[in-house]
Amino acid sequence: MDMKDILQKVASGALRPEEAEALLRKNPADRPYEEMGFAKLDTDRKARSGFAEVVYCQGKSDAFIGQIFKKLYETEGEVFGTRASPHQYELVKKVLPSISYDPISHILKQEKEKDHIGCIAVCTGGTADISVAEEAAQTAEYFGSHVERIYDVGVSGIHRLLSQEERVRKASCVIAVAGMEGALASVIGGLVRNPVIAVPTSVGYGASFHGLSALLTMINSCANGIVTVNIDNGFGAGYVATQINRLAERGKV
Amino acid sequence: MDMKDILQKVASGALRPEEAEALLRKNPADRPYEEMGFAKLDTDRKARSGFAEVVYCQGKSDAFIGQIFKKLYETEGEVFGTRASPHQYELVKKVLPSISYDPISHILKQEKEKDHIGCIAVCTGGTADISVAEEAAQTAEYFGSHVERIYDVGVSGIHRLLSQEERVRKASCVIAVAGMEGALASVIGGLVRNPVIAVPTSVGYGASFHGLSALLTMINSCANGIVTVNIDNGFGAGYVATQINRLAERGKV
Amino acid sequence: MDMKDILQKVASGALRPEEAEALLRKNPADRPYEEMGFAKLDTDRKARSGFAEVVYCQGKSDAFIGQIFKKLYETEGEVFGTRASPHQYELVKKVLPSISYDPISHILKQEKEKDHIGCIAVCTGGTADISVAEEAAQTAEYFGSHVERIYDVGVSGIHRLLSQEERVRKASCVIAVAGMEGALASVIGGLVRNPVIAVPTSVGYGASFHGLSALLTMINSCANGIVTVNIDNGFGAGYVATQINRLAERGKV
Amino acid sequence: MDMKDILQKVASGALRPEEAEALLRKNPADRPYEEMGFAKLDTDRKARSGFAEVVYCQGKSDAFIGQIFKKLYETEGEVFGTRASPHQYELVKKVLPSISYDPISHILKQEKEKDHIGCIAVCTGGTADISVAEEAAQTAEYFGSHVERIYDVGVSGIHRLLSQEERVRKASCVIAVAGMEGALASVIGGLVRNPVIAVPTSVGYGASFHGLSALLTMINSCANGIVTVNIDNGFGAGYVATQINRLAERGKV
Amino acid sequence: MDMKDILQKVASGALRPEEAEALLRKNPADRPYEEMGFAKLDTDRKARSGFAEVVYCQGKSDAFIGQIFKKLYETEGEVFGTRASPHQYELVKKVLPSISYDPISHILKQEKEKDHIGCIAVCTGGTADISVAEEAAQTAEYFGSHVERIYDVGVSGIHRLLSQEERVRKASCVIAVAGMEGALASVIGGLVRNPVIAVPTSVGYGASFHGLSALLTMINSCANGIVTVNIDNGFGAGYVATQINRLAERGKV
Amino acid sequence: MDMKDILQKVASGALRPEEAEALLRKNPADRPYEEMGFAKLDTDRKARSGFAEVVYCQGKSDAFIGQIFKKLYETEGEVFGTRASPHQYELVKKVLPSISYDPISHILKQEKEKDHIGCIAVCTGGTADISVAEEAAQTAEYFGSHVERIYDVGVSGIHRLLSQEERVRKASCVIAVAGMEGALASVIGGLVRNPVIAVPTSVGYGASFHGLSALLTMINSCANGIVTVNIDNGFGAGYVATQINRLAERGKV
Amino acid sequence: MDMKDILQKVASGALRPEEAEALLRKNPADRPYEEMGFAKLDTDRKARSGFAEVVYCQGKSDAFIGQIFKKLYETEGEVFGTRASPHQYELVKKVLPSISYDPISHILKQEKEKDHIGCIAVCTGGTADISVAEEAAQTAEYFGSHVERIYDVGVSGIHRLLSQEERVRKASCVIAVAGMEGALASVIGGLVRNPVIAVPTSVGYGASFHGLSALLTMINSCANGIVTVNIDNGFGAGYVATQINRLAERGKV
Amino acid sequence: MDMKDILQKVASGALRPEEAEALLRKNPADRPYEEMGFAKLDTDRKARSGFAEVVYCQGKSDAFIGQIFKKLYETEGEVFGTRASPHQYELVKKVLPSISYDPISHILKQEKEKDHIGCIAVCTGGTADISVAEEAAQTAEYFGSHVERIYDVGVSGIHRLLSQEERVRKASCVIAVAGMEGALASVIGGLVRNPVIAVPTSVGYGASFHGLSALLTMINSCANGIVTVNIDNGFGAGYVATQINRLAERGKV
């Protein structure tokens, strides 16, 4: 039954308008967004993806950053921003005094109390990777996941990771954060049964080429069950880990 | 209680040997494998990861390939090999006459009947990506997942994908297979709530650099919920998709 | 007036179904395509883009290539395929005996008589670039453009190009095809007032890196009015040149 | 008739000097330019290309920048400079007090009133791409084109672009500006019938490699009708778009 | 005799607990480390590798650097840090006033008196490579090796190296430090009988690509006996050279 | 005096046509070439550059190669082609039976007796580089230079080069041919007073990346007086060396 | 005392010729080699480096390969060639019937009985790396080292490596051979006290880029004591390992 | 006659010491240099190469720069330094008050009066390339060459170069300095008979990759007679150009 038939039946009374509306496939071009001139806020996103908007602060102009946080806070009752500078923290604090800032992860947030379900393990090769790891961990927590932090378990002292094997295996998903040669993801991949999200970091020097070496390592892993996100993309890892964790938990209740 | 204490208690009779054995953490160095001289078969793998061994045929020597398939078939009652050549098919058929070969996916398999749970959607940008997509799809099916194939929905005719939106959204996980500029993954990522596993393919020419262009596209996606595997790595995508699909299904029963 | 209002008015007779159909924004997800299992033919393409489908032969399987040409020929009354091998020519000839093959451009075609409007100039740096240049030229001709061929006018003997300056300037669009260092596009860009479409070719050796050097040259041109397509992509250049040529001619009649 | 013959005829009175001048092909080496020691101003350019000179400010020394703007303003009655710093604005203001500066696009200009013909659509993937998009848009406007701005329609929320489809299709040429994975150009290419000029931007991080990822995406696009300019080259895109737009309009009058 | 048998014998008194402990293979997961929350200090390292911990200062936060030096000094009676900034020197001096800082090598150290055994030659191509060479030399000295410095013997004046041939040949191991084209390692490799550790440096400009050119040179050396470490990795070279030097000396006593 | 004035004077008899012709600057667009449809033979080249045309055989079609050699032979009384295959040799032999072929250098030639002036030294790192070295040497000889061959003097046994120092220093120009790490050019550069033309070769494996490593080495040389040509470009080196050698000899007579 | 003084004293009888000869520093330019026209055999090499010449067969012409093996065999009483093809084996067998060929390592050899001293461990990540590992192992054995083969201990099943820890630790030097992501070297580096020579292999596909990924992993290792050789360079690893092993053993006797 | 024979004859009086000295090949290891601890000044260089030492200032420490200039000035009576900062100028002025500094070329010099022989043409594509061009020009002048500056003759307005053709052709050597796509060198190469030294500059943005694009263009030039130096290496070009210019002039007197 195409649009013409449906409309004929509405005209003839054979179909009620509400019924017709349901039959007409929802036009993707009609999904809502808010036109702001310089931007088109995707107000359909939460319904579509199950995740509220998050602010990527890097490069946002001083003129707008405060408003954006305020607006999102009014809509959601909470707000979360990544890659924020201390200067941006000062700007946002003026309009949202209760906002907090974590200089390690560069996250700006004002969070509602919530339950944290399931389990995501966030592991790092070294201490320099913690900045990216915290972006991942706090993202997952903001979206309602429980997180276990297992830091500084790089392969140059493999016993540290082996001693944590049980905690790693219990997670529905493991985030492996490592720079330099990024071998951590492969070793974890060989120990667990759930997915490993590998996050290469730009930690290193010389031929690490700002994270390219770790990225290639992770993409080429000889272990199964490993997928990769962009260099330093803790947010992306925390997001996908939450998707997986939600799937793992949804049938349990 | 460390090893010394445990052993003292065994000596004093305060602890039975079986109790002591449980207390002493299982030494990872003692996990089983089978020494074959040129290889060490990881016989602990299935217990550890939940997945039986799969044969990566490319580069396997003629002398061994038949034996490997035979041995795995005897152990598992089924067997699955990727990247096999027609010549290897002939060799394996001699020792395992019931084996079948798919020239599109280059998969050699002899499969048990099994239930296929949940839902994984495998999408391709074009028809040239189907070879890799089938590797992903058949891998997921071998490991017990139900698969929906949605082929040739590349972004140059976006309405083809939009018309399939509901099928894509229903999957617990979407595998997006695309070469050339690999934009498919980003568009799908914007439509769904579950993870998207992006598989760049080596389809293309000139500045596609054998899949590098598509790989970079996917790693840099502006959409959330996207993770990436190696160029042409259909197997890896099917494996992780099954991990996610199993998690999504485990609590439902 | 949103969908709900429109349907209410149809139900009340305030709006006729045909009027309603015009008002409802056409759903892009409803545009037509033909489902073939392994492919989804974009039957909406010609209406949308003004260009009939063309067959990219490279990698097409022997099983399908004949059918595809036959089907397109039946629909359009003519057919055009790029990057075809002599072997594919043999296969297509069986189902479409009147098809012709050009071993220089690797084009398979059966073309209707048609007018060729406007003017596109196709220039090459050397004779080894002619294969790609012919793909561009014949594509433009197939889509109804008049083409001027100006071959072997590379910068190592610049007087050859200078002697052709008037012919180059008269074109609504110039296609500059060059390998090795690809300097031709910049020199032409400095001589003309209409767009130059630069096509890097894989002609060269050593540090030409299969066309990468020429691609970078063209992308970095110091001359204005230059745009670039993929290495060896004669078809893409002929297509865009025709788009521009049609625009230049549409108001003249 | 070569030079010798022509001169003989002039000497014999068989040819008037004016006739001879027309017959002797104009020597390209005799085209005018202005020698300034450190530079050779190409005073023939406007006649040759139809476009007045534009100042590329980046790297211009403080000593010269004011003079250059003044001189061009005196010649053209208007002046336009790209990639200018606030400091350069201060310097130019001293000699040309009416000059204006746009900190978003980094454009310095003093523009004559003029008609804006035809239609060019400038689209961006996100808000961070607006800086480059404005360079393109204002360039096109300076050269007399009408511009439609369609910002923040990236593929992660594809309905925003779909809702603007008609505006995009009406343009004689679309400029698609996008960073990160740069998928916007391919999706637009699949929707329109006129050329798409793709501008990769350096927006992104990690494996975006300062715009290389977006550049490769655009060069490898699976959609037809797409050509590419250098990373962040808004000016180049605005220039070519104007060339196309002028061609589209020239026959209409 | 597996764990079960051993424990039975302990229970039966056939084996004393201490004997059992020796028999049970030491579980790698039980090796010691110190949990510090943000880090897991590998306290097993010296026993395992024969080398005390060294502090890689770059990127260490101001809050921790002093404590780390203090703690290591208390454990080892000496301490050594690489890639330290003058600012970090100030911070460490507050808690460890006797610490010294070398602005050439960027090394922070407080060293015990010790014998320096054997011989390691450290050669540089130019004077700009001395910073990296000193990191190598002082690392080797800290770990107890005798070092011969042979600086500025690059291949553009080969007689300088030839005049030092005997000193170079006497070393148990040669460290060749060079930037730009890095040819020094190959020439030395052709003169000696012991291993050459090649250290590419980031000295150079243009197509040296921050040390990549020198790295490739060293990896591709036509001379035998050459191994390579990361760009600017003087520490790594000094460490391996000491391993080799210790092996060469261990049997001499 | 511009064209108008000159022509007026010719008309008035104040200037003879021959005088006018000398005054009118020769138009570069009028320089001769021969139009062959698929090619424009640059018949002005020898007058302009001092070098006769040479045939680059690689990729030349079977249909044309014989004619090209024949035509050049008729014009010059000798002929020289590089990168020829044995198959091309057979084809050319049919029309030019006296042609000879060197399977080492892949050169096809029929050469006139001539004097060989001055001195060019051609050095190689190893024996695998001789193919490229011979292309350089025979090119230089064809153009009338005397050549000294000094092969297999790579840096892994530096005494071989040192023993030849006098021969190398006597040349007006040295061609240094080397693959793998390509260090030879730097060492020679440090020994001589005349220019060194470095030719990287594709000899090597792994990280030599088909000559890229040697190219970077040579471009980054720490020695003065070194210039570089493309990978395996023996012809280019022989050509420039002859230019230099001719300059060195021109004043001696 | 310079050359002049020494000669004066010889002339005056104050110094005997033999004394003078010892005083005059041996001129490196006088070291012996054998001139063969196309090659200069470095007959000084064994005295200088302690290692006899080895034949790198790849690319050696059929005309010479037999002679080279014969000559070396006559000089040394044994002979060893790497990267030989089966075809080369046939050629060499004609002149040296006792030669043997190993199709796994592609080594041609005729070896003297000899003692094998010390211990070198050769480890591989997978079975596909064995070809390169055998080149390393047999090279070390040819030069008199004892070798322990520990194959297929890749990080995806880390217990296989852990179970071999003692064997690995006992070696004076470990060769770690791995392709794909090459993580093996880092894990071994964390377990041992002696040097690890990392050999990246070209095993892998897609973004392994023919061994580049493994090379970068090894160069960037977070573990200490790791040095790297070229991709697939088993010979180079076996050579350096022997240098180290000889040093470790020299003082023991 | 080897060393032993010569010495015997000296002892027997059959040869005078001076005759023996001439016969004994000069040992390259005995060539002079000055040991300064951190450096080995190559005092043999001028005799060997015909060029006095030049100071590469970039990276030279404040502590040494003054002394180095002073010392060289005392030796040569003039001094020349490249890539100097204004700060270094201040430091050198303290010890050498007559030194002058050119902020365009970043050259520090105190020059003797001298004749400038022959002719070198230095051409640039644009005005931004003048900094590098001046380094080349002033280097050539310092070493005694006459220089013609022909700036801003890039290919986007080719008539500017054509009008200078005679000046360019008269030079014994042309230096072509260009950034962005670097096409200038190829066009000049097609116009002249003497060598062209191509200097890629880092001028450009986006895909120019800091000069890599121009470097590849120049290395791959389709014109003959072109050699290339490192990105921004004006000094290197001026040095080689002087070598060529001296050869061209040496026989004239």
Side-chain angles (χ1 to χ4, degrees), chain B residues 154-158 162 180-181 183 186-187 189-191 205-209 212-213 216-224, chain D residues 154-158 162 180-181 183 186-187 189-191 205-209 212-213 216-224:
Chain B
V155 299
S156 70
I158 194 88
L162 295 173
M180 297 198 274
E181 93 280 47
S186 294
V187 177
L191 296 175
Y205 64 94
S208 79
F209 298 128
L212 176 60
S213 170
L216 289 178
T217 299
M218 289 162 170
I219 282 286
N220 285 290
S221 179
C222 63
N224 295 326
Chain D
V155 298
S156 70
I158 194 88
L162 294 173
M180 297 197 275
E181 94 279 47
S186 293
V187 176
L191 296 176
Y205 64 92
S208 80
F209 297 128
L212 176 59
S213 170
L216 288 179
T217 299
M218 288 161 170
I219 282 287
N220 286 291
S221 179
C222 63
N224 295 326

Side-chain angles (χ1 to χ4, degrees), chain D residues 65-125:
Chain D
I65 189 117
Q67 290 168 262
I68 293 171
F69 269 82
K70 192 132 181 281
K71 170 158 207 145
L72 263 170
Y73 181 70
E74 286 163 7
T75 315
E76 300 288 337
E78 62 181 355
V79 68
F80 189 87
T82 60
R83 298 190 177 229
S85 66
H87 172 67
Q88 291 177 319
Y89 171 42
E90 295 305 323
L91 291 169
V92 174
K93 211 162 50 176
K94 282 182 190 150
V95 297
L96 203 65
S98 59
I99 198 90
S100 74
Y101 181 61
D102 171 14
I104 301 293
S105 63
H106 309 112
I107 284 171
L108 266 177
K109 71 182 166 194
Q110 165 73 7
E111 210 173 345
K112 281 196 273 200
E113 289 237 336
K114 66 192 69 156
D115 285 339
H116 295 97
I117 63 169
C119 180
I120 293 166
V122 180
C123 305
T124 74

Side-chain angles (χ1 to χ4, degrees), chain A residues 117 244-253, chain B residues 246-253:
Chain A
I117 63 169
I244 294 170
N245 193 41
R246 286 180 181 179
L247 286 170
E249 294 300 308
R250 71 176 178 188
K252 284 189 171 170
V253 203
Chain B
R246 286 180 180 179
L247 286 169
E249 294 300 308
R250 72 174 178 193
K252 283 190 171 168
V253 202

Side-chain angles (χ1 to χ4, degrees), chain C residues 111 113-118 140-147 245:
Chain C
E111 209 173 345
E113 290 240 333
K114 66 192 70 155
D115 285 339
H116 296 97
I117 63 170
E141 288 169 342
Y142 181 73
F143 289 133
S145 294
H146 171 76
V147 171
N245 192 42

Side-chain angles (χ1 to χ4, degrees), chain A residues 154-158 162 179-183 186-187 189-191 204-209 212-213 216-224, chain G residues 154-158 162 179-183 186-187 189-191 204-209 212-213 216-224:
Chain A
V155 298
S156 70
I158 194 86
L162 295 173
M180 297 198 274
E181 94 278 47
S186 294
V187 176
L191 296 175
Y205 64 92
S208 81
F209 298 128
L212 176 60
S213 170
L216 289 179
T217 300
M218 288 162 170
I219 282 287
N220 286 290
S221 180
C222 63
N224 295 326
Chain G
V155 299
S156 69
I158 194 87
L162 295 173
M180 296 197 275
E181 93 279 48
S186 294
V187 176
L191 296 175
Y205 64 94
S208 79
F209 298 127
L212 176 60
S213 170
L216 289 178
T217 300
M218 289 163 170
I219 282 287
N220 285 290
S221 179
C222 63
N224 295 326

Side-chain angles (χ1 to χ4, degrees), chain E residues 154-158 162 179-183 186-187 189-191 204-209 212-213 216-224, chain F residues 154-158 162 179-183 186-187 189-191 204-209 212-213 216-224:
Chain E
V155 298
S156 70
I158 194 86
L162 295 172
M180 298 198 274
E181 93 278 46
S186 294
V187 177
L191 296 175
Y205 64 92
S208 81
F209 298 127
L212 176 59
S213 170
L216 289 179
T217 300
M218 289 160 169
I219 282 287
N220 286 290
S221 180
C222 63
N224 295 326
Chain F
V155 300
S156 69
I158 194 86
L162 295 173
M180 296 198 274
E181 93 279 47
S186 294
V187 176
L191 296 176
Y205 63 92
S208 79
F209 299 127
L212 176 60
S213 170
L216 289 179
T217 299
M218 289 163 170
I219 281 287
N220 286 290
S221 178
C222 63
N224 295 326

